[in-house]
Amino acid sequence: MNRQTDDLLKAELERLTQMNAGYLGYPLARDFSFDALAPFLNLQINNVGDPFTPSSLTIDTKEREIEVLHFFSKMLRASIENTWGYVTNGGSEGNLYGLYLAREAYPNGMVYYSESTHYSVKKNLHLLNIPNIVIRSLDNGEIDYRDLDRTVKLRRHRPAIFFMNVGTTMTEAIDQLDKIKAIITKYALKDYYIHVDGALAGIMAPFYKEKPKFDFQDGIDSISISGHKFIGSPIPCGIVLCKKEHSDRIAKSISYVKTKDTTITGSRNGLSPLIIWYALKKLGVSGLRQRYESSKELAEYTLTQLTLIGYDAWKNKNAITIVLKKPSDLICKKYQLAVQDDIAHIICMPGIEKSQIDALIDDLKETVFEKPPLVEDFNAMMVEF
Amino acid sequence: MNRQTDDLLKAELERLTQMNAGYLGYPLARDFSFDALAPFLNLQINNVGDPFTPSSLTIDTKEREIEVLHFFSKMLRASIENTWGYVTNGGSEGNLYGLYLAREAYPNGMVYYSESTHYSVKKNLHLLNIPNIVIRSLDNGEIDYRDLDRTVKLRRHRPAIFFMNVGTTMTEAIDQLDKIKAIITKYALKDYYIHVDGALAGIMAPFYKEKPKFDFQDGIDSISISGHKFIGSPIPCGIVLCKKEHSDRIAKSISYVKTKDTTITGSRNGLSPLIIWYALKKLGVSGLRQRYESSKELAEYTLTQLTLIGYDAWKNKNAITIVLKKPSDLICKKYQLAVQDDIAHIICMPGIEKSQIDALIDDLKETVFEKPPLVEDFNAMMVEF
């Protein structure tokens, strides 16, 4: 039995190692090593309840968790005193939490979000039982501001909850806060809430040459960012940050529970805060910046190569995601490209080698046939036929 | 910077190791070692979406996860074909999920649960926005069936959602399904749902000499059990199982998302399924049984010793939790006993040594003063005074 268990475990490790090396289409950095954390696997760790409230049993890593939250608070220009948050089990939980805060702020609110939004959002809106409307997207994946305008216009009597993407799943598009705010101003909305899904790009955008508006100084109410994506982690994780007034509202409404715990779960993972903390300490701000610069360079290189071989591809400014015409199933599988309808994407995450991009380009080159005839030529052909 | 990071990490490890050795009052086994899983810390693992639906990127441990779910399905006498579930981030998430299923089954339902229920349940009922009523508890922590009867009686027009404890947090009490069913029969309820919170005892109760009724054959709809408690884990984790008809209902209501994913989050932890799987494989059913027997023996020993020194204490039948009059703050802190009002408890989890119990008894012995005088004696004293 135990022999068999060990064999199975070994096989699992080998398979995962192999699968980790191959993918080009998923937003998961793989250049990390957490060997230093191995001894923690033999300990009970539990960051139960509120990160800022000491546990009665201190088998937690709350001090490290708070350091992580402060790091992100600074990066997102939040006031340390007026900001609350915690390390989540991934981007979806952070979005769930942000929408929960929004619902409590405006029980009669309507959520607006683009059709490019991650599918888990719809799922969690259902869980939270909040009315919501999907807004069309522009071709690049940004929310269609005209459609948003028209839709909000008809519902000026309801508080508006804007779910804003900073890096959509498929094209890494960033919704423009200024344009959303213009709609808020146009319709004199006084009751509104802005949550940001910064799953992938929330940690990179502060390093853009022209930083997009999406942080607390810019006027958002809450944000969710993944830890396992750009930093990389064996466990899905992330952070959620919000204005303290919102988490205080929750604390108040559940105060009859006699707990200060406003997190979603009771027992909370104490290993992932340690993972994010360790990575942030090792990288530092300069390491993160460098990491983004390298990814962006590789993305630009990839786009150039695709263009050179005449393959249909494009990317959003600053993005590390290249959108391309869906290659053959064989190629998509070989390079583990993520596909949606007739497009696919490559995400140049830390850990991807230039040689892997070159190999893909070589394979794609062979599939670029002469371009199909233009409509005029086609008509001419038909006449000749 | 890196030197300092490593030093901090070392200090954190030492502190956690020390804190892990000391507690007697928390339901967290500590006799585990997951060194074998250390290499997995350097890999991206993600059991994204439904465990039974293959991921497009197979950096998952879904096969192991399914084995874990089947193990619990068998233990809880569930039909493999008609049961669905997943590995959660802990008991609270499992309860949240069970209540979510209940709400979807009966949108107009009323949730009934005892005042001994874990505080996270109230929190999650708020999140899910389900009306609910707290029922009084009996002295031993079981739900007060009379109060439940009277409360349900007044609400026969609403579907009833029973949240049943199998091992309450403070006294490890088990609500009796037969008595709940008697109320269902008495008021001819046709629309009802039974969710079981088996956080701690759900994995031990199958080994009781007289097994309490709480599994799928007994007629429950869903159950949540923790993995990090009785098995032990560096990460809070657990399983949730439900009748497939309930998860199918969710799948249907969110089908416009075009996903079969009915879990709460998108990306899901793939390390904790591996942790539970590995522990279950190493222990097997006989190991689990032995584990429970040892804990129970130690609990009986503890109760005997407390009684011998004349210290007020008791425990529920089969329980490994001993409830005692709250000792001094000093003693509670020294042995990390969990306290609620004027009582405390010791939980004889795997990993606790008899010598630790003996040391506690020695300390308590010194605090057992002569008993306070009886009322009659007191009155006599007052007359004399």
Short mmCIF file of all heavy atoms in Angstrom, two decimals, chain A residues 12 15 20 26 29 34-35 42-44 56 58 60 100 103-104 119 122-123 126-127 228 234 256 261 263 265, chain B residues 12 15 20 26 29 34-35 42-44 56 58 60 64 100 103 119 122-123 126-127 228 234 256 261 263 265:
data_model
loop_
_atom_site.label_atom_id
_atom_site.label_comp_id
_atom_site.label_asym_id
_atom_site.label_seq_id
_atom_site.Cartn_x
_atom_site.Cartn_y
_atom_site.Cartn_z
N GLU A 12 2.89 11.47 -9.99
CA GLU A 12 2.16 12.76 -9.97
C GLU A 12 3.15 13.92 -10.09
O GLU A 12 2.94 14.86 -10.85
CB GLU A 12 1.37 12.86 -8.65
CG GLU A 12 0.31 13.93 -8.63
CD GLU A 12 -1.01 13.49 -9.25
OE1 GLU A 12 -0.98 12.71 -10.21
OE2 GLU A 12 -2.08 13.94 -8.77
N ARG A 15 4.57 14.08 -13.65
CA ARG A 15 3.58 14.59 -14.60
C ARG A 15 3.41 16.10 -14.44
O ARG A 15 3.43 16.85 -15.41
CB ARG A 15 2.22 13.90 -14.36
CG ARG A 15 1.16 14.24 -15.39
CD ARG A 15 -0.17 13.56 -15.08
NE ARG A 15 -0.71 13.93 -13.78
CZ ARG A 15 -1.31 15.10 -13.53
NH1 ARG A 15 -1.44 15.99 -14.48
NH2 ARG A 15 -1.76 15.37 -12.32
N ASN A 20 4.19 21.58 -16.13
CA ASN A 20 4.60 22.93 -15.74
C ASN A 20 5.55 23.55 -16.76
O ASN A 20 5.55 24.76 -16.95
CB ASN A 20 5.27 22.90 -14.36
CG ASN A 20 4.32 23.33 -13.25
OD1 ASN A 20 4.37 24.44 -12.75
ND2 ASN A 20 3.41 22.43 -12.87
N TYR A 26 -1.22 30.23 -20.28
CA TYR A 26 -1.87 30.46 -18.99
C TYR A 26 -1.10 31.46 -18.14
O TYR A 26 0.13 31.47 -18.17
CB TYR A 26 -2.06 29.12 -18.25
CG TYR A 26 -3.02 28.24 -19.00
CD1 TYR A 26 -2.58 27.39 -20.03
CD2 TYR A 26 -4.38 28.28 -18.72
CE1 TYR A 26 -3.47 26.61 -20.75
CE2 TYR A 26 -5.29 27.52 -19.44
CZ TYR A 26 -4.83 26.67 -20.46
OH TYR A 26 -5.72 25.93 -21.17
N ALA A 29 3.08 32.21 -13.59
CA ALA A 29 4.54 32.23 -13.57
C ALA A 29 5.03 30.90 -13.02
O ALA A 29 4.38 30.28 -12.19
CB ALA A 29 5.03 33.37 -12.68
N PHE A 34 10.10 27.36 -3.66
CA PHE A 34 9.75 27.58 -2.25
C PHE A 34 10.30 26.46 -1.36
O PHE A 34 9.67 26.09 -0.37
CB PHE A 34 8.24 27.77 -2.09
CG PHE A 34 7.73 29.04 -2.70
CD1 PHE A 34 6.94 29.02 -3.84
CD2 PHE A 34 8.09 30.27 -2.16
CE1 PHE A 34 6.49 30.20 -4.41
CE2 PHE A 34 7.65 31.46 -2.73
CZ PHE A 34 6.85 31.42 -3.86
N ASP A 35 11.47 25.95 -1.75
CA ASP A 35 12.12 24.91 -0.93
C ASP A 35 12.27 25.37 0.51
O ASP A 35 12.14 24.59 1.44
CB ASP A 35 13.52 24.60 -1.50
CG ASP A 35 13.43 23.76 -2.77
OD1 ASP A 35 12.46 22.98 -2.89
OD2 ASP A 35 14.32 23.90 -3.64
N ASN A 42 5.05 20.55 7.86
CA ASN A 42 4.84 19.64 8.99
C ASN A 42 4.18 20.32 10.19
O ASN A 42 4.17 19.75 11.28
CB ASN A 42 6.17 19.01 9.40
CG ASN A 42 6.76 18.21 8.26
OD1 ASN A 42 6.02 17.63 7.47
ND2 ASN A 42 8.08 18.18 8.17
N LEU A 43 3.67 21.53 9.97
CA LEU A 43 3.09 22.28 11.08
C LEU A 43 1.65 22.67 10.81
O LEU A 43 1.27 22.90 9.67
CB LEU A 43 3.92 23.55 11.33
CG LEU A 43 5.36 23.34 11.80
CD1 LEU A 43 6.12 24.65 11.74
CD2 LEU A 43 5.37 22.78 13.22
N GLN A 44 0.88 22.74 11.88
CA GLN A 44 -0.44 23.33 11.78
C GLN A 44 -0.26 24.85 11.68
O GLN A 44 0.36 25.46 12.57
CB GLN A 44 -1.26 23.02 13.05
CG GLN A 44 -1.88 21.65 13.09
CD GLN A 44 -3.15 21.52 12.26
OE1 GLN A 44 -3.58 22.47 11.58
NE2 GLN A 44 -3.74 20.34 12.29
N SER A 56 -6.24 33.72 19.43
CA SER A 56 -5.96 33.23 20.78
C SER A 56 -4.89 32.14 20.69
O SER A 56 -4.03 32.02 21.56
CB SER A 56 -7.23 32.72 21.44
OG SER A 56 -8.00 31.96 20.55
N THR A 58 -1.75 31.24 18.62
CA THR A 58 -0.94 31.94 17.62
C THR A 58 -0.12 31.00 16.73
O THR A 58 1.09 31.09 16.64
CB THR A 58 0.00 32.96 18.28
OG1 THR A 58 0.76 32.26 19.27
CG2 THR A 58 -0.78 34.08 18.93
N ASP A 60 -0.19 31.16 13.69
CA ASP A 60 -0.51 31.89 12.46
C ASP A 60 0.71 32.59 11.89
O ASP A 60 1.78 32.63 12.51
CB ASP A 60 -1.60 32.92 12.74
CG ASP A 60 -1.16 33.95 13.77
OD1 ASP A 60 -0.08 34.54 13.60
OD2 ASP A 60 -1.88 34.15 14.76
N TYR A 100 -19.41 41.42 -2.26
CA TYR A 100 -20.15 41.30 -0.99
C TYR A 100 -20.16 42.66 -0.29
O TYR A 100 -21.21 43.15 0.16
CB TYR A 100 -19.46 40.23 -0.14
CG TYR A 100 -20.02 40.00 1.25
CD1 TYR A 100 -21.38 40.10 1.52
CD2 TYR A 100 -19.17 39.62 2.29
CE1 TYR A 100 -21.88 39.85 2.80
CE2 TYR A 100 -19.66 39.36 3.57
CZ TYR A 100 -21.01 39.49 3.81
OH TYR A 100 -21.49 39.24 5.07
N ARG A 103 -22.53 44.93 -2.11
CA ARG A 103 -23.94 44.63 -1.83
C ARG A 103 -24.36 45.19 -0.47
O ARG A 103 -25.46 45.73 -0.32
CB ARG A 103 -24.15 43.11 -1.84
CG ARG A 103 -25.61 42.69 -1.75
CD ARG A 103 -25.78 41.21 -1.45
NE ARG A 103 -25.50 40.90 -0.06
CZ ARG A 103 -25.51 39.67 0.46
NH1 ARG A 103 -25.72 38.62 -0.33
NH2 ARG A 103 -25.26 39.48 1.75
N GLU A 104 -23.46 45.07 0.51
CA GLU A 104 -23.78 45.57 1.84
C GLU A 104 -23.85 47.09 1.85
O GLU A 104 -24.62 47.68 2.60
CB GLU A 104 -22.77 45.05 2.86
CG GLU A 104 -22.84 43.55 3.08
CD GLU A 104 -24.23 43.07 3.44
OE1 GLU A 104 -24.73 43.46 4.50
OE2 GLU A 104 -24.85 42.34 2.64
N TYR A 119 -15.47 34.25 -15.93
CA TYR A 119 -16.76 33.58 -15.71
C TYR A 119 -17.10 33.41 -14.24
O TYR A 119 -18.27 33.32 -13.87
CB TYR A 119 -16.79 32.22 -16.43
CG TYR A 119 -15.96 31.15 -15.75
CD1 TYR A 119 -16.51 30.37 -14.73
CD2 TYR A 119 -14.64 30.92 -16.10
CE1 TYR A 119 -15.76 29.40 -14.09
CE2 TYR A 119 -13.89 29.95 -15.47
CZ TYR A 119 -14.46 29.19 -14.47
OH TYR A 119 -13.71 28.23 -13.83
N LYS A 122 -19.80 35.97 -12.66
CA LYS A 122 -21.23 35.67 -12.82
C LYS A 122 -21.66 34.65 -11.76
O LYS A 122 -22.72 34.76 -11.15
CB LYS A 122 -21.48 35.10 -14.22
CG LYS A 122 -22.94 34.97 -14.57
CD LYS A 122 -23.36 36.02 -15.57
CE LYS A 122 -24.85 36.25 -15.57
NZ LYS A 122 -25.23 37.40 -16.38
N LYS A 123 -20.81 33.64 -11.56
CA LYS A 123 -21.07 32.57 -10.59
C LYS A 123 -21.22 33.16 -9.19
O LYS A 123 -22.12 32.80 -8.44
CB LYS A 123 -19.85 31.64 -10.61
CG LYS A 123 -20.14 30.19 -10.54
CD LYS A 123 -18.87 29.36 -10.79
CE LYS A 123 -17.72 29.70 -9.87
NZ LYS A 123 -16.62 28.71 -9.94
N HIS A 126 -24.30 35.24 -8.57
CA HIS A 126 -25.42 34.34 -8.30
C HIS A 126 -25.41 33.91 -6.84
O HIS A 126 -26.44 33.92 -6.16
CB HIS A 126 -25.30 33.13 -9.23
CG HIS A 126 -26.45 32.19 -9.15
ND1 HIS A 126 -26.41 31.02 -8.44
CD2 HIS A 126 -27.69 32.27 -9.67
CE1 HIS A 126 -27.58 30.41 -8.54
NE2 HIS A 126 -28.38 31.13 -9.28
N LEU A 127 -24.24 33.57 -6.35
CA LEU A 127 -24.09 33.18 -4.94
C LEU A 127 -24.54 34.31 -4.02
O LEU A 127 -25.22 34.09 -3.01
CB LEU A 127 -22.63 32.81 -4.66
CG LEU A 127 -22.31 32.32 -3.26
CD1 LEU A 127 -22.33 30.81 -3.21
CD2 LEU A 127 -20.95 32.82 -2.79
N HIS A 228 -0.78 33.84 -7.21
CA HIS A 228 -0.19 32.69 -7.91
C HIS A 228 0.08 32.98 -9.38
O HIS A 228 0.78 32.23 -10.03
CB HIS A 228 -1.09 31.46 -7.78
CG HIS A 228 -2.45 31.63 -8.38
ND1 HIS A 228 -3.39 32.51 -7.87
CD2 HIS A 228 -3.04 31.06 -9.46
CE1 HIS A 228 -4.50 32.45 -8.61
NE2 HIS A 228 -4.30 31.59 -9.57
N PRO A 234 2.47 27.44 -5.61
CA PRO A 234 1.89 26.10 -5.75
C PRO A 234 0.42 26.06 -5.34
O PRO A 234 -0.28 25.08 -5.61
CB PRO A 234 2.72 25.25 -4.80
CG PRO A 234 3.25 26.21 -3.79
CD PRO A 234 3.46 27.50 -4.52
N TYR A 256 -23.55 40.73 15.82
CA TYR A 256 -24.23 39.87 16.78
C TYR A 256 -23.56 38.50 16.85
O TYR A 256 -23.87 37.68 17.68
CB TYR A 256 -25.73 39.75 16.46
CG TYR A 256 -26.04 39.38 15.03
CD1 TYR A 256 -26.49 38.13 14.70
CD2 TYR A 256 -25.87 40.31 14.00
CE1 TYR A 256 -26.79 37.80 13.40
CE2 TYR A 256 -26.15 39.99 12.69
CZ TYR A 256 -26.61 38.73 12.39
OH TYR A 256 -26.89 38.41 11.09
N ASP A 261 -14.39 39.07 13.04
CA ASP A 261 -13.98 38.38 11.83
C ASP A 261 -14.92 38.68 10.66
O ASP A 261 -16.03 38.19 10.59
CB ASP A 261 -13.97 36.89 12.11
CG ASP A 261 -13.56 36.10 10.90
OD1 ASP A 261 -13.13 36.72 9.91
OD2 ASP A 261 -13.66 34.88 10.94
N THR A 263 -13.89 38.12 7.47
CA THR A 263 -13.44 37.36 6.31
C THR A 263 -14.55 36.38 5.92
O THR A 263 -15.54 36.25 6.64
CB THR A 263 -12.17 36.54 6.64
OG1 THR A 263 -12.49 35.65 7.71
CG2 THR A 263 -11.05 37.45 7.08
N THR A 265 -14.17 32.91 5.22
CA THR A 265 -14.03 31.64 5.93
C THR A 265 -13.59 31.89 7.36
O THR A 265 -13.29 33.01 7.74
CB THR A 265 -13.01 30.74 5.21
OG1 THR A 265 -11.81 31.47 5.04
CG2 THR A 265 -13.53 30.31 3.87
N GLU B 12 10.14 32.50 12.38
CA GLU B 12 8.72 32.13 12.21
C GLU B 12 8.56 30.62 12.38
O GLU B 12 7.64 30.15 13.06
CB GLU B 12 8.26 32.55 10.80
CG GLU B 12 6.77 32.57 10.58
CD GLU B 12 6.10 33.86 11.05
OE1 GLU B 12 6.55 34.43 12.06
OE2 GLU B 12 5.12 34.29 10.41
N ARG B 15 8.97 29.69 16.09
CA ARG B 15 7.80 30.09 16.88
C ARG B 15 6.63 29.14 16.61
O ARG B 15 5.99 28.65 17.53
CB ARG B 15 7.40 31.53 16.51
CG ARG B 15 6.28 32.10 17.37
CD ARG B 15 5.88 33.51 16.93
NE ARG B 15 5.42 33.58 15.56
CZ ARG B 15 4.22 33.16 15.16
NH1 ARG B 15 3.35 32.69 16.03
NH2 ARG B 15 3.87 33.25 13.89
N ASN B 20 3.04 24.87 18.09
CA ASN B 20 2.40 23.62 17.69
C ASN B 20 2.49 22.56 18.79
O ASN B 20 1.61 21.72 18.92
CB ASN B 20 3.05 23.08 16.41
CG ASN B 20 2.24 23.39 15.16
OD1 ASN B 20 1.56 22.56 14.61
ND2 ASN B 20 2.30 24.65 14.72
N TYR B 26 -7.40 22.91 21.07
CA TYR B 26 -7.84 23.15 19.70
C TYR B 26 -7.93 21.85 18.90
O TYR B 26 -7.09 20.96 19.08
CB TYR B 26 -6.92 24.17 19.01
CG TYR B 26 -7.04 25.52 19.67
CD1 TYR B 26 -6.27 25.85 20.78
CD2 TYR B 26 -7.99 26.44 19.22
CE1 TYR B 26 -6.42 27.08 21.42
CE2 TYR B 26 -8.15 27.66 19.85
CZ TYR B 26 -7.36 27.98 20.95
OH TYR B 26 -7.53 29.17 21.58
N ALA B 29 -5.01 18.11 14.88
CA ALA B 29 -4.01 17.06 15.03
C ALA B 29 -2.65 17.60 14.62
O ALA B 29 -2.55 18.46 13.76
CB ALA B 29 -4.37 15.86 14.16
N PHE B 34 4.53 15.95 6.16
CA PHE B 34 4.32 15.96 4.72
C PHE B 34 5.61 16.30 3.97
O PHE B 34 5.56 16.94 2.91
CB PHE B 34 3.17 16.90 4.35
CG PHE B 34 1.83 16.41 4.84
CD1 PHE B 34 1.16 17.05 5.87
CD2 PHE B 34 1.25 15.28 4.28
CE1 PHE B 34 -0.06 16.59 6.33
CE2 PHE B 34 0.03 14.80 4.72
CZ PHE B 34 -0.63 15.45 5.76
N ASP B 35 6.73 15.87 4.52
CA ASP B 35 8.02 16.06 3.85
C ASP B 35 7.97 15.56 2.41
O ASP B 35 8.56 16.16 1.51
CB ASP B 35 9.13 15.31 4.60
CG ASP B 35 9.52 16.03 5.88
OD1 ASP B 35 9.40 17.27 5.91
OD2 ASP B 35 9.92 15.36 6.84
N ASN B 42 7.37 23.69 -5.51
CA ASN B 42 8.02 24.42 -6.61
C ASN B 42 7.24 24.35 -7.92
O ASN B 42 7.75 24.71 -8.97
CB ASN B 42 9.44 23.89 -6.82
CG ASN B 42 10.28 24.08 -5.57
OD1 ASN B 42 10.09 25.05 -4.85
ND2 ASN B 42 11.20 23.17 -5.33
N LEU B 43 6.00 23.89 -7.83
CA LEU B 43 5.21 23.72 -9.05
C LEU B 43 3.89 24.49 -8.98
O LEU B 43 3.32 24.65 -7.90
CB LEU B 43 4.89 22.23 -9.25
CG LEU B 43 6.08 21.32 -9.53
CD1 LEU B 43 5.66 19.86 -9.45
CD2 LEU B 43 6.67 21.62 -10.90
N GLN B 44 3.43 24.92 -10.14
CA GLN B 44 2.09 25.46 -10.24
C GLN B 44 1.13 24.29 -10.20
O GLN B 44 1.22 23.37 -11.03
CB GLN B 44 1.90 26.20 -11.57
CG GLN B 44 2.48 27.58 -11.63
CD GLN B 44 1.58 28.62 -10.96
OE1 GLN B 44 0.52 28.30 -10.41
NE2 GLN B 44 2.03 29.87 -10.98
N SER B 56 -8.37 21.98 -19.07
CA SER B 56 -7.66 22.04 -20.35
C SER B 56 -6.15 22.03 -20.08
O SER B 56 -5.38 21.45 -20.83
CB SER B 56 -8.09 23.27 -21.14
OG SER B 56 -8.19 24.40 -20.33
N THR B 58 -3.62 20.54 -17.58
CA THR B 58 -3.67 19.52 -16.54
C THR B 58 -2.56 19.65 -15.51
O THR B 58 -1.81 18.71 -15.24
CB THR B 58 -3.67 18.10 -17.14
OG1 THR B 58 -2.52 18.00 -17.97
CG2 THR B 58 -4.92 17.86 -17.94
N ASP B 60 -3.11 19.73 -12.50
CA ASP B 60 -4.00 19.51 -11.37
C ASP B 60 -3.72 18.18 -10.68
O ASP B 60 -2.94 17.36 -11.16
CB ASP B 60 -5.45 19.56 -11.84
CG ASP B 60 -5.73 18.47 -12.85
OD1 ASP B 60 -5.43 17.29 -12.58
OD2 ASP B 60 -6.25 18.78 -13.94
N ARG B 64 -6.39 12.53 -7.73
CA ARG B 64 -6.23 12.31 -6.28
C ARG B 64 -7.43 12.87 -5.53
O ARG B 64 -7.91 12.29 -4.58
CB ARG B 64 -4.95 12.99 -5.76
CG ARG B 64 -3.65 12.58 -6.47
CD ARG B 64 -3.19 11.18 -6.09
NE ARG B 64 -3.80 10.13 -6.90
CZ ARG B 64 -3.47 9.84 -8.17
NH1 ARG B 64 -2.54 10.52 -8.79
NH2 ARG B 64 -4.07 8.86 -8.81
N TYR B 100 -25.65 27.13 0.37
CA TYR B 100 -25.92 27.67 -0.96
C TYR B 100 -26.82 26.69 -1.73
O TYR B 100 -27.84 27.09 -2.33
CB TYR B 100 -24.58 27.89 -1.67
CG TYR B 100 -24.63 28.38 -3.10
CD1 TYR B 100 -25.60 29.26 -3.55
CD2 TYR B 100 -23.65 27.98 -4.02
CE1 TYR B 100 -25.60 29.72 -4.86
CE2 TYR B 100 -23.63 28.43 -5.32
CZ TYR B 100 -24.62 29.30 -5.75
OH TYR B 100 -24.62 29.74 -7.05
N ARG B 103 -30.29 26.89 -0.35
CA ARG B 103 -31.01 28.10 -0.79
C ARG B 103 -31.54 27.94 -2.21
O ARG B 103 -32.65 28.34 -2.53
CB ARG B 103 -30.07 29.32 -0.73
CG ARG B 103 -30.77 30.64 -0.97
CD ARG B 103 -29.78 31.78 -1.20
NE ARG B 103 -29.20 31.72 -2.54
CZ ARG B 103 -28.26 32.54 -2.99
NH1 ARG B 103 -27.77 33.48 -2.18
NH2 ARG B 103 -27.77 32.43 -4.21
N TYR B 119 -19.51 30.04 14.77
CA TYR B 119 -19.89 31.41 14.44
C TYR B 119 -19.84 31.70 12.93
O TYR B 119 -20.52 32.59 12.43
CB TYR B 119 -19.02 32.42 15.20
CG TYR B 119 -17.62 32.55 14.68
CD1 TYR B 119 -17.31 33.43 13.65
CD2 TYR B 119 -16.58 31.78 15.20
CE1 TYR B 119 -16.02 33.54 13.16
CE2 TYR B 119 -15.29 31.88 14.71
CZ TYR B 119 -15.02 32.76 13.69
OH TYR B 119 -13.75 32.87 13.21
N LYS B 122 -23.32 31.76 10.89
CA LYS B 122 -24.12 33.00 10.89
C LYS B 122 -23.55 33.97 9.84
O LYS B 122 -24.28 34.62 9.10
CB LYS B 122 -24.05 33.65 12.28
CG LYS B 122 -25.01 34.80 12.46
CD LYS B 122 -26.18 34.41 13.35
CE LYS B 122 -27.37 35.30 13.17
NZ LYS B 122 -28.56 34.76 13.82
N LYS B 123 -22.21 34.04 9.82
CA LYS B 123 -21.52 34.91 8.88
C LYS B 123 -21.86 34.54 7.44
O LYS B 123 -22.14 35.40 6.61
CB LYS B 123 -20.01 34.71 9.10
CG LYS B 123 -19.17 35.91 9.05
CD LYS B 123 -17.73 35.62 9.48
CE LYS B 123 -17.07 34.49 8.72
NZ LYS B 123 -15.61 34.41 8.96
N HIS B 126 -25.39 35.26 6.33
CA HIS B 126 -25.49 36.67 5.97
C HIS B 126 -25.00 36.89 4.54
O HIS B 126 -25.64 37.57 3.74
CB HIS B 126 -24.66 37.48 6.97
CG HIS B 126 -24.79 38.96 6.80
ND1 HIS B 126 -23.84 39.72 6.16
CD2 HIS B 126 -25.77 39.81 7.15
CE1 HIS B 126 -24.23 40.97 6.15
NE2 HIS B 126 -25.39 41.06 6.74
N LEU B 127 -23.88 36.27 4.23
CA LEU B 127 -23.33 36.36 2.87
C LEU B 127 -24.33 35.84 1.85
O LEU B 127 -24.52 36.43 0.79
CB LEU B 127 -22.02 35.56 2.80
CG LEU B 127 -21.28 35.60 1.48
CD1 LEU B 127 -20.20 36.67 1.52
CD2 LEU B 127 -20.62 34.26 1.16
N HIS B 228 -8.03 19.39 7.98
CA HIS B 228 -6.89 19.80 8.81
C HIS B 228 -7.09 19.49 10.28
O HIS B 228 -6.15 19.55 11.05
CB HIS B 228 -6.62 21.30 8.62
CG HIS B 228 -7.75 22.17 9.04
ND1 HIS B 228 -8.96 22.19 8.38
CD2 HIS B 228 -7.89 23.04 10.07
CE1 HIS B 228 -9.77 23.06 8.98
NE2 HIS B 228 -9.15 23.58 10.01
N PRO B 234 -1.02 21.43 7.14
CA PRO B 234 -0.48 22.79 7.28
C PRO B 234 -1.42 23.85 6.70
O PRO B 234 -1.23 25.04 6.92
CB PRO B 234 0.82 22.74 6.48
CG PRO B 234 0.64 21.63 5.51
CD PRO B 234 -0.24 20.63 6.17
N TYR B 256 -25.70 29.60 -18.03
CA TYR B 256 -25.44 30.63 -19.03
C TYR B 256 -24.00 31.11 -18.95
O TYR B 256 -23.52 31.85 -19.78
CB TYR B 256 -26.43 31.79 -18.90
CG TYR B 256 -26.57 32.34 -17.52
CD1 TYR B 256 -26.02 33.56 -17.17
CD2 TYR B 256 -27.26 31.62 -16.53
CE1 TYR B 256 -26.15 34.06 -15.90
CE2 TYR B 256 -27.39 32.12 -15.25
CZ TYR B 256 -26.84 33.34 -14.94
OH TYR B 256 -26.96 33.83 -13.68
N ASP B 261 -18.60 24.39 -14.03
CA ASP B 261 -17.98 24.65 -12.75
C ASP B 261 -18.98 25.17 -11.72
O ASP B 261 -19.41 26.30 -11.77
CB ASP B 261 -16.87 25.67 -12.95
CG ASP B 261 -16.17 25.97 -11.66
OD1 ASP B 261 -16.43 25.28 -10.67
OD2 ASP B 261 -15.35 26.91 -11.66
N THR B 263 -18.27 24.98 -8.40
CA THR B 263 -17.55 25.26 -7.16
C THR B 263 -17.67 26.75 -6.87
O THR B 263 -18.16 27.51 -7.70
CB THR B 263 -16.06 24.90 -7.29
OG1 THR B 263 -15.50 25.70 -8.33
CG2 THR B 263 -15.88 23.44 -7.64
N THR B 265 -15.01 28.95 -5.95
CA THR B 265 -13.93 29.71 -6.57
C THR B 265 -13.62 29.14 -7.95
O THR B 265 -14.16 28.11 -8.34
CB THR B 265 -12.67 29.65 -5.69
OG1 THR B 265 -12.39 28.28 -5.38
CG2 THR B 265 -12.88 30.40 -4.41
#
